[in-house]
Amino acid sequence: MSGAGLDLAIIVVYFVVIIGIGLYAARGQKTMETYALGNRSMPWWAVLASILASEISAGTFLGTPSEGYAKQNFIYAQLVIGTIIARLIVAGVFIKPFYDLKVVSIYEFLEIRFGIITRRIASFVFLLTRSLASGSRIYVGAILLVLAWEVMHPEFLKLDSEARFQQELTIYIGAVVVLTGLTALYTTFGGIKAVVWTDLIQVTLMFGSAAYVFYWLLGQTGGWSGFFESVKQPTFVNTGSDPGKSMLQNLKDTDLKWIFQQEYTIWAAFFGSVFTTLATHGTDQDMVQRMLTSKDHKKGQRAVIMSGLIDLPVVIGFIGIGILLYRFYTQNADRAPLHDPGIFAWFMVHDLSPGLRGLLAAGLFATAMGSLSTALNALATTFTKDWYLGYFRPGATSNEQFLMARWATVGFSILLALIGIGTAWVKLKNPELRIIPIVLGSFGYTYGSLLGVFLIGMLTKTRGTCTGNIAAMLAGFAAVAVLTDLPNDVWKMLTGYKAYQLPPWMPVIAFTWRIMAGTLVTVLVGLCFRRKGDAYVARTL
């Protein structure tokens, strides 16, 4: 068997196993509760694997090594500090109220606390934002298929830029459709049980293949001593000032405008990253739905806390792969990338041996399909519970909801595929864009508003009303838009020049600070509105 044939055989076996397990999990499913929550019967360790598969997407698999390759240090890993802190807060504040109320869509909580309008607005924000974020991740998973096609057709590199753009976009369209279609197949029929059990296999394959590549690169580039020689300062902590001073002295001496403009600093880790993870793991149906499949709230809490502790070595490992790739291509300059499709994807296609290449490709597809399947199930669940049942057909039976959830999964598969194709178009037009800011930056504009409303509901008794929440969420979005200079960017894209100049004291904040800014503004505005009468208070349960 040829090298390409061996790789293809491994990938085909992977797809057959995953789809087979997904379809097997579909047996006996006839109710919405089974489809969305698996009757709350999933073991906590399987839920843990599903959380990891959802958050460690293809963007992490390919994007994190790119960060290590570009910077040759571990400062991106600082952000994990905030994710661990945030998961402790999620476990202590968010999970138990969702269990006590027996919600399927977490936005049901907002209806109980504030009213139907807040629930629908929050649900709409999730549907829109999660679709954009998850759709952009599909593009990342398609990168490997595009590179493989280029290797098999070397004449492609000789084309002029316009012809190359057209052909590359066509390949991306095909790759996105294939990945989305296969994932939608087992997700549509198998529901959350298919998602969790296939995620367990996918995350095992991903970790195993990534670990093997790390040690393979280590052996090719001079071992541990060579690895540490390639690490640049600052190694882990980036305060932006004199490393010989204390952290508090650095903060005093550092320009605050500079801090908010940087993506990866210790301040972004302790503040920006905390708010980001609170939003993604406490107010995003995609993540929380995994936790709600556990038998009780304590097991859901255990799963989310453990996922945070595992994140740190995982992120460090993927950054380490990027640093080793930098050393590998420094030593083998003739094999370095001719363009920047994602350094890890280039390495997989051009420099890995057959068999291992197929195994790692399956690991990449596992991450892409794992995060996509969880998103599809969460989007379908939210649409069915909050809109189909809550608005279009209030009297729908559990079986009717179940059937609607399946059709919604198909619908969102099509939508996410279109977004993935759009992301590919943007990246091909702007090759300098990096993967991580694309994936993480897309939800920074809206999730701060979502988190702010949840915090008001969770931590206060009578503050917040539907009218106040609308004003607060709009204020949060507007604040982030102004602080990221979004109006100028849009106007420049349409006209070619800026509409106005920002005052010199005002920072254009990095994507790691967006959710924090939106949350704080939303909370401050929302607290100005007081609800009369009794209200549900999560912390009293």
Side-chain angles (χ1 to χ4, degrees), residues 204-235:
T204 302
L205 178 61
M206 177 190 66
F207 286 166
S209 58
Y212 188 94
V213 168
F214 180 90
Y215 284 103
W216 186 90
L217 281 169
L218 204 63
Q220 296 291 316
T221 55
W224 288 105
S225 60
F227 172 74
F228 289 118
E229 286 176 5
S230 299
V231 179
K232 293 183 178 180
Q233 295 294 330
T235 304

Side-chain angles (χ1 to χ4, degrees), residues 221-259:
T221 55
W224 288 105
S225 60
F227 172 74
F228 289 118
E229 286 176 5
S230 299
V231 179
K232 293 183 178 180
Q233 295 294 330
T235 304
F236 280 100
V237 177
N238 179 19
T239 62
S241 294
D242 185 354
K245 297 180 181 180
S246 68
M247 188 177 294
L248 291 177
Q249 186 63 43
N250 273 326
L251 179 60
K252 180 180 178 181
D253 295 343
T254 301
D255 180 6
L256 288 178
K257 178 180 177 180
W258 180 91
I259 289 177

Side-chain angles (χ1 to χ4, degrees), residues 7 55 84 86 114 159 161 183 208 213 286 407 409 454 461 479 538:
D7 293 335
E55 63 190 5
I84 295 173
F114 300 111
L159 297 174
S161 59
T183 307
V213 168
D286 187 359
W407 281 111
T409 303
F454 267 96
K461 293 183 178 181

Side-chain angles (χ1 to χ4, degrees), residues 43-364:
W44 73 268
W45 46 267
V47 175
L48 166 63
S50 186
I51 293 173
L52 291 171
S54 180
E55 63 190 5
I56 303 173
S57 65
T60 303
F61 198 90
L62 295 183
T64 305
S66 294
E67 297 297 322
Y69 184 85
K71 300 180 181 296
Q72 293 101 60
N73 58 35
F74 291 91
I75 59 173
Y76 174 69
Q78 293 177 115
L79 301 184
V80 180
I81 298 172
T83 71
I84 295 173
I85 296 171
R87 285 174 222 237
L88 292 172
I89 299 173
V90 168
V93 175
F94 288 79
I95 303 302
K96 188 175 184 296
F98 295 147
Y99 268 92
D100 290 339
L101 291 172
K102 295 181 172 58
V103 300
V104 176
S105 163
I106 62 173
Y107 309 109
E108 295 175 56
F109 165 82
L110 296 178
E111 180 178 359
I112 296 170
R113 176 61 174 83
F114 300 111
I116 188 63
I117 295 177
T118 299
R119 174 183 178 178
R120 287 179 179 163
I121 291 174
S123 175
F124 175 77
V125 168
F126 163 74
L127 292 173
L128 175 63
T129 309
R130 174 48 58 195
S131 295
L132 292 173
S134 296
S136 65
R137 288 176 173 179
I138 302 175
Y139 148 77
V140 181
I143 289 175
L144 187 66
L145 294 176
V146 174
L147 281 176
W149 189 91
E150 291 179 6
V151 169
M152 291 185 290
H153 299 80
E155 68 276 6
F156 172 79
L157 298 176
K158 300 177 182 179
L159 297 174
D160 62 76
S161 59
E162 183 59 30
R164 183 172 173 177
F165 169 81
Q166 294 295 336
Q167 284 205 25
E168 201 162 8
L169 181 61
T170 300
I171 305 166
Y172 269 114
I173 293 172
V176 166
V177 170
V178 169
L179 283 177
T180 307
L182 291 174
T183 307
L185 179 62
Y186 72 80
T187 306
T188 299
F189 289 100
I192 193 66
K193 285 187 176 181
V195 170
V196 172
W197 289 120
T198 54
D199 280 351
L200 177 61
I201 295 174
Q202 289 163 335
V203 81
T204 302
L205 178 61
M206 177 190 66
F207 286 166
S209 58
Y212 188 94
V213 168
F214 180 90
Y215 284 103
W216 186 90
L217 281 169
L218 204 63
Q220 296 291 316
T221 55
W224 288 105
S225 60
F227 172 74
F228 289 118
E229 286 176 5
S230 299
V231 179
K232 293 183 178 180
Q233 295 294 330
T235 304
F236 280 100
V237 177
N238 179 19
T239 62
S241 294
D242 185 354
K245 297 180 181 180
S246 68
M247 188 177 294
L248 291 177
Q249 186 63 43
N250 273 326
L251 179 60
K252 180 180 178 181
D253 295 343
T254 301
D255 180 6
L256 288 178
K257 178 180 177 180
W258 180 91
I259 289 177
F260 290 121
Q261 290 176 328
Q262 303 306 305
E263 297 170 345
Y264 312 134
T265 65
I266 195 64
W267 315 115
F270 275 107
F271 297 101
S273 183
V274 169
F275 281 87
T276 298
T277 305
L278 282 177
T280 58
H281 288 64
T283 69
D284 186 315
Q285 179 76 17
D286 187 359
M287 283 293 182
V288 179
Q289 192 170 334
R290 310 284 83 79
M291 307 167 203
L292 297 183
T293 62
S294 297
K295 295 179 180 179
D296 55 55
H297 75 275
K298 291 184 178 180
K299 290 182 173 61
Q301 290 170 334
R302 184 185 305 169
V304 71
I305 292 173
M306 287 297 296
S307 70
L309 297 177
I310 293 174
D311 255 1
L312 183 58
V314 169
V315 171
I316 289 175
F318 276 110
I319 294 174
I321 288 174
I323 295 173
L324 288 171
L325 286 173
Y326 177 82
R327 185 172 179 85
F328 179 82
Y329 286 118
T330 300
Q331 296 173 350
N332 302 276
D334 58 316
R335 297 155 71 177
L338 300 177
H339 56 98
D340 183 23
I343 188 63
F344 198 17
W346 176 277
F347 167 75
M348 290 166 61
V349 171
H350 290 83
D351 293 301
L352 274 180
S353 59
L356 177 58
R357 181 172 55 203
L359 181 64
L360 196 61
L364 172 60

